[in-house]
Amino acid sequence: MDQEQVDLLTRTGPGTPMGNLMRRYWVPALLCSEIPEPDCPPVRVRILGEKLLAFRDTQGRVGLVDEFCAHRGASLFLGRNEDCGIRCSYHGWKYDIHGNCVELPSAPQIAPKVKIKSYPCIERGDVVWAYMGPTDKQPDPPELEWCMLKPEQRFVSKRLQECGYLQAMEGGIDTTHASWVHRYELDTDPMHKHAYANKYIKADPNTIFDIEETPHGLTIFGRRNGEPDSYYWRITQWIAPWFTLIPPFGPHALGGHIWVPIDDENCWAWSINFLPDRPLPADELQAMKDGKGIHVKYIPGTFRAAANPENDWLIDRLAQKEKRSFSGVEGFSIQDASLQESMGPLQDYSREFLVPTDMAIVRARRVLERAARDLQKGIEPPALNAVSQRVRAASVLLDRKVAAKEWAPTSLVDSLNRPVFTV
Ligand code: FES
Ligand SMILES: [Fe+2]
């Protein structure tokens, strides 16, 4: 990519082309559980280069407003969440969830003229979503499958990833790496072990890709050798602009991620597991809470992983040598994060050397670049129709004569009404 493309794809602050594109979607902002009850402490939220404050008011409604007071710029994080508003602790100005100044004690007559930035929010799938785009363009709420299930059928976590969203998200699109960095933990991790397909993943790392552009983004077909009469397909969904759905592993919960820019050099990596037809089994749910599978162990009280760039992701050279872990880093998410963070906060794209197995990430870049440029010309973005988001990933053996590209459009859409395809 040349520098202009890199800038276009990786800069997401207010007014940038990619920032404008991303602001046309509902943006995952925080976990509902971060503001668990009315009048609880407010939470700082950093997304798309903006410094915001989330709070739940006395009526339980969520507000997402500018972090800083309109008076002299004190942080409302220090404020009092009381009587349906957040009150600045400095001189007592108070704002409601819409950013209206509802009390200005020293000059009440001025209050109606004072407003701070605020964004509409909805709660769905254990996530507070914010809409940060033009008022008249607000899309329908997201309908990703995991959002539509009962709470007991899903587990959602988020972690800080210390690099740009693009290089992080590209790990979610690139199915080839499962044969390498995750190789030795496929058989031991509680959310991956005993999947029949692990043997195909390990036996054949030379994935052959085919990619289909769809109304939601991309369907990415990764073909490996299966049985003598079949191919093993890992079918990944990328839903514009930042969702990925992971091909499942045997009977375990399905998984997905969201990659949301905090600023241009950090992102939130959201990880979701879900079962479409039943509650998560207690032992798997506990393993997720303990940081197994695609979730992580944290530095207590934060969303920063215990294994992070400052401690070389706790790499264990003995585990690497003894083939307990391919890279020596523990856990699927930190294995991915370590390699992506090791590229630096923003990968030097001028030095990359792409090969055919990188075709999927190239296509995703193209879709995003085109969507951002199109929006500048007034052409509407893809995947705004919530129904188009109801797709599913698959891990499936198909007869060698079956074309996966023809099989997928009827088998992996309208996900709530379809069986799960997983081996
Ligand atoms: S700075 Fe907030 S009320 Fe004065
Ligand atoms: Fe991975």
Side-chain angles (χ1 to χ4, degrees), residues 248-371:
F249 287 84
H252 300 295
L254 283 70
H257 295 288
I258 326 172
W259 315 90
V260 182
I262 293 173
D263 52 32
D264 295 343
E265 299 189 343
N266 295 277
C267 63
W268 289 120
W270 292 80
S271 298
I272 302 108
N273 278 125
F274 59 102
L275 281 171
D277 54 352
R278 61 190 191 279
L280 295 172
D283 56 337
E284 289 209 5
L285 179 61
Q286 191 57 50
M288 291 168 199
K289 290 179 178 169
D290 292 342
K292 301 285 187 190
I294 56 175
H295 308 280
V296 297
K297 294 188 190 77
Y298 298 102
I299 296 174
T302 75
F303 290 104
R304 193 182 196 200
N308 60 58
E310 265 176 66
N311 52 29
D312 285 334
W313 304 276
L314 302 173
I315 190 166
D316 179 345
R317 294 293 182 187
L318 191 61
Q320 189 180 44
K321 201 171 226 70
E322 291 177 348
K323 298 191 174 177
R324 283 178 281 122
S325 165
F326 192 77
S327 73
V329 169
E330 186 188 342
F332 282 63
S333 271
I334 298 301
Q335 286 162 3
D336 290 332
S338 61
L339 296 159
Q340 294 150 7
E341 291 171 339
S342 77
M343 298 166 180
L346 255 189
Q347 181 187 346
D348 182 351
Y349 292 91
S350 70
R351 288 182 52 195
E352 67 181 0
F353 195 117
L354 299 177
V355 294
T357 48
D358 298 312
M359 202 201 308
I361 66 173
V362 172
R363 288 291 292 272
R365 288 177 188 177
R366 267 192 220 148
V367 172
L368 281 176
E369 182 185 345
R370 192 180 63 216

Side-chain angles (χ1 to χ4, degrees), residues 402-418:
V402 173
K405 256 181 161 174
E406 285 165 28
W407 175 85
T410 52
S411 304
L412 302 180
V413 294
D414 187 21
S415 54
L416 289 172
N417 299 309
R418 305 275 175 192

Side-chain angles (χ1 to χ4, degrees), residues 75-302:
S75 173
L76 295 170
F77 173 73
L78 298 168
R80 302 173 59 86
N81 186 9
E82 59 187 12
D83 300 330
C84 278
I86 184 89
R87 186 188 295 281
C88 181
S89 287
Y90 209 177
H91 313 94
W93 295 23
K94 182 175 163 188
Y95 307 90
D96 67 10
I97 59 163
H98 306 294
N100 299 314
C101 183
V102 289
E103 282 181 39
L104 199 162
S106 61
Q109 70 283 7
I110 300 175
K113 299 196 191 102
V114 178
K115 189 170 166 59
I116 53 173
K117 178 166 71 180
S118 78
Y119 295 122
C121 292
I122 53 168
E123 295 182 77
R124 183 168 276 209
D126 307 331
V127 176
V128 175
W129 306 73
Y131 177 67
M132 301 166 71
T135 319
D136 58 334
K137 300 287 188 186
Q138 183 175 311
D140 289 335
E143 291 194 22
L144 294 123
E145 181 177 15
W146 55 266
C147 285
M148 311 303 281
L149 302 172
K150 297 197 189 103
E152 60 270 26
Q153 290 173 260
R154 125 187 107 228
F155 180 72
V156 182
S157 73
K158 72 171 197 185
R159 67 178 164 79
L160 170 67
Q161 179 150 343
E162 295 166 58
C163 70
Y165 86 95
L166 187 68
Q167 69 205 57
M169 182 170 75
E170 288 178 351
I173 294 172
D174 154 31
T175 172
T176 323
H177 79 271
S179 297
W180 298 101
V181 66
H182 304 318
R183 179 175 196 93
Y184 297 130
E185 278 181 51
L186 289 173
D187 293 327
T188 56
D189 181 81
M191 264 78 74
H192 294 80
K193 65 185 179 186
H194 306 318
Y196 194 70
N198 288 347
K199 70 170 185 171
Y200 306 125
I201 296 172
K202 286 188 287 184
D204 184 4
N206 293 317
T207 319
I208 296 174
F209 276 110
D210 205 353
I211 297 158
E212 187 90 323
E213 201 169 324
T214 60
H216 66 265
L218 297 175
T219 303
I220 300 152
F221 301 87
R223 194 189 86 187
R224 291 174 170 88
N225 288 321
E227 300 300 324
D229 58 348
S230 61
Y231 288 121
Y232 170 59
W233 294 90
R234 289 184 68 71
I235 304 176
T236 305
Q237 303 285 6
W238 174 70
I239 302 168
W242 41 41
F243 306 99
T244 48
L245 294 176
I246 308 165
F249 287 84
H252 300 295
L254 283 70
H257 295 288
I258 326 172
W259 315 90
V260 182
I262 293 173
D263 52 32
D264 295 343
E265 299 189 343
N266 295 277
C267 63
W268 289 120
W270 292 80
S271 298
I272 302 108
N273 278 125
F274 59 102
L275 281 171
D277 54 352
R278 61 190 191 279
L280 295 172
D283 56 337
E284 289 209 5
L285 179 61
Q286 191 57 50
M288 291 168 199
K289 290 179 178 169
D290 292 342
K292 301 285 187 190
I294 56 175
H295 308 280
V296 297
K297 294 188 190 77
Y298 298 102
I299 296 174
T302 75

